[in-house]
Structures are given as C-alpha cells and as structure tokens.
Amino acid sequence: MSANTMKASSKPAVKRTAVQKDKLSAAGLLGKWILTIVMLVIAVEMIIPFIWMISTSFKKASDVFNYPVQWIPATFDFKHHINVWSGSDSFITYYLNSLKVTLIPVILAAFLSSLAAYSFAKLEYKGRDAFFLLYISMMMVPNQILFVPKFIMFDWMGIYNTHWALILPQCFSVFGVFLMRQFFVSFPNELIQAAKVDGANHFYIWWKIMLPLAKPVIASFMILDFTWNWNDYENPLIFLNSQKLYTIPLGLNKFVLESNIDYNGMMAAASASIIPIIIVFLLGQRYVVEGVTSSGIKG
C-alpha cells in the first residue's frame, strides 16, 4: 500500500476522533449546565424559608398569612426587632452567653486538636494507630448517652448550672483531631527531618511549620465548630437552670413559648439568632471547601 493511500485512509479516522471529542465535550458541558441548574433549584428551595422568615419579621401582624405571599412588606415595621433587643428579656444577655460558651471552646478545641493531630500523624510510639482508632470510635457514641455521666460528674465538680459545664466538654473535639490529622499525614516527612537536623524540637515544628500550613483546615474546623456550639440546644437545656445563663437556643425557645401568637416577633427573634452564623460563614466560606479538600481522607 502506497504512502498516499495510507494518508487518505487515516484522514477519516482522524475526523471521526475529532467529532467524538467534540460530542464528548458538548455532552460534558451539557451535563455541567444541568447539574448547575439542579443545584440552583435546590439552593433556592433551601433559602426560601429564610427569606420568608426575614420578610415576616418586618411585616404587620395582619399581613403574615396573606396569600399570595408578599415577599417585600408594603411598610417595614421595626417594632418586633426592637422588642427582641430591648426590655427585661433582652436577647443581648443570650448573645453574650452564647458568645462566651462558643468562642472559648472553639479556640481551645482548635489548639488542642492540632496538638493531638500532630501527635497521631508525625510522632512514632507504640500503639499510636490503635489508640487513634479507639479515639475516633468515640464519634459513634451518641451524645445523649453521656448526659447522665456528665450530670453526675458536673454536680460532683460543682460546675452544674454554670457555663463551665458547656465550655469544658467542647474543648475536646474528636472530629477536629480526625480532620487535622488527615492533613498532617499528607505533610512531607522530609521537611520535618530537615527541621530536626537544624535543631528544632516537635513543639517548634508544630508551631512554626505545621500550623501556618494548616490554616485552611483549622479555619474550616473553627467555622464548623462555631456553628455546632452556637446552635447547641440539648446541652444547655440539660446543664443550665438559671435564666440569666441561657444561650440563644434556650432564649429563642423561651421567647417562642411566651409569644405563641406573635409570629412576627418569633421571626424577628429567629432572624437575630442566625446573624453571627451568617457573618462567620461569609468571612470564612472559602476556607471550608479548601480545608476539607486539602485534608482529604488519607492514611
């Protein structure tokens, strides 16, 4: 077969390959568009209740159940928001209590979890992996099972009906250790060995080398931990009796029980309760995906 014949026969094959690639790329682009539209619809469905909540908090009582729904109030009524933040039962007290029992555990949990994660990932000692498996198995234990032992222990320690009953247990996070350990495992051991040659000890390596590189993972953990602690309802309900110690979830529940026909007031109180979560998420949303992606599920 001559060279010209071979070239002629190869041209249709090349054209077929190019057409197939174009079809695959077009199908991939169409799939991405479909997935984007589906996710957009789901996102809109999830955000509609929040929009209705905020809109209702500014409406008059007579306009709450108007149909069709009036998403933008004809006149904005701010008295419901003023009532939430003023008076003897002000949300300011609940906010300060929630900030106290949320920020302190988040900071301490990030610190202690990073230390434990570095130990499980980079230190060599007998039984390390077995102890780590035992440690993360605590994630399978429901929190409700620990209420009675915690109650007995806190009463014996004299911290029942104090904020310490909420702060101390939340300073230790199994999930935080797991998440950060997965990141530290992927860190090259050669850099640690080089630091040891230069005379660095493990604490220096953890503080000066590991933590700066683990900022996305630590930030994403702190955002998630902040959200969990801020929305925690069961623990304050069990371990707090005094109203002056109430956190946002308990304060919101009390407000709803006392205002069971004031739907505008309930929506205003609910809107106030989600403000810190929205602020924290907007400030650190880029770290969530980046941190979870960089930690992965390795080792």
Side-chain angles (χ1 to χ4, degrees):
M1 185 180 293
S2 64
N4 292 333
T5 305
M6 294 178 63
K7 290 181 179 179
S9 61
S10 65
K11 287 182 178 179
V14 173
K15 290 182 179 179
R16 285 197 298 271
T17 303
V19 170
Q20 291 174 352
K21 289 183 177 179
D22 291 340
K23 288 182 178 179
L24 289 174
S25 61
L29 182 62
L30 179 61
K32 289 181 179 179
W33 274 104
I34 294 175
L35 180 61
T36 301
I37 293 173
V38 171
M39 297 303 293
L40 179 62
V41 171
I42 295 175
V44 170
E45 289 182 350
M46 293 179 66
I47 203 173
I48 281 177
F50 293 98
I51 297 176
W52 183 85
M53 175 182 70
I54 296 173
S55 173
T56 302
S57 68
F58 290 102
K59 291 179 181 179
K60 295 180 179 179
S62 58
D63 297 335
V64 174
F65 297 107
N66 285 349
Y67 188 83
V69 177
Q70 188 179 16
W71 296 103
I72 301 177
T75 57
F76 284 83
D77 191 348
F78 292 91
K79 71 177 182 180
H80 307 290
H81 288 272
I82 295 174
N83 292 337
V84 168
W85 294 102
S86 60
S88 58
D89 197 16
S90 171
F91 259 53
I92 295 177
T93 302
Y94 305 143
Y95 255 76
L96 294 177
N97 291 337
S98 286
L99 288 174
K100 176 183 177 181
V101 302
T102 299
L103 291 178
I104 296 176
V106 165
I107 295 172
L108 292 177
F111 176 79
L112 296 174
S113 297
S114 62
L115 273 175
Y118 177 77
S119 171
F120 285 130
K122 294 304 179 184
L123 299 186
E124 297 289 342
Y125 50 88
K126 186 177 180 180
R128 183 195 65 178
D129 295 337
F131 185 66
F132 176 69
L133 290 176
L134 178 63
Y135 186 73
I136 64 173
S137 67
M138 294 300 296
M139 296 176 67
M140 296 184 292
V141 178
N143 187 49
Q144 292 79 4
I145 294 178
L146 303 177
F147 282 155
V148 173
K150 283 182 179 179
F151 181 90
I152 297 173
M153 182 172 61
F154 293 159
D155 186 55
W156 173 74
M157 296 173 62
I159 61 173
Y160 176 75
N161 195 34
T162 69
H163 285 153
W164 288 111
L166 305 180
I167 293 174
L168 291 179
Q170 300 301 330
C171 290
F172 306 93
S173 172
V174 179
F175 173 75
V177 174
F178 172 76
L179 184 68
M180 296 183 199
R181 185 255 183 190
Q182 300 308 102
F183 174 82
F184 290 155
V185 163
S186 65
F187 192 83
N189 290 327
E190 290 77 11
L191 293 178
I192 296 178
Q193 295 299 329
K196 288 182 179 180
V197 171
D198 292 335
N201 57 30
H202 282 294
F203 185 84
Y204 184 90
I205 294 172
W206 165 78
W207 180 256
K208 291 294 185 179
I209 299 177
M210 305 296 281
L211 285 189
L213 294 175
K215 283 181 180 179
V217 178
I218 296 174
S220 61
F221 164 70
M222 293 180 72
I223 293 170
L224 295 174
D225 200 43
F226 180 93
T227 304
W228 293 334
N229 291 340
W230 184 269
N231 291 326
D232 186 16
Y233 176 75
E234 288 183 331
N235 286 295
L237 179 65
I238 298 297
F239 302 123
L240 297 180
N241 286 332
S242 177
Q243 182 178 331
K244 65 180 182 180
L245 300 176
Y246 277 7
T247 57
I248 284 290
L250 293 185
L252 181 60
N253 182 64
K254 179 177 179 296
F255 187 89
V256 170
L257 292 176
E258 294 178 352
S259 310
N260 55 2
I261 59 173
D262 184 9
Y263 297 102
N264 306 84
M266 286 189 281
M267 294 303 103
S271 300
S273 68
I274 66 172
I275 291 175
I277 297 178
I278 294 176
I279 293 175
V280 169
F281 182 77
L282 291 177
L283 292 177
Q285 59 178 329
R286 68 186 182 93
Y287 290 111
V288 175
V289 176
E290 183 181 351
V292 174
T293 302
S294 62
S295 65
I297 306 296
K298 311 180 188 72

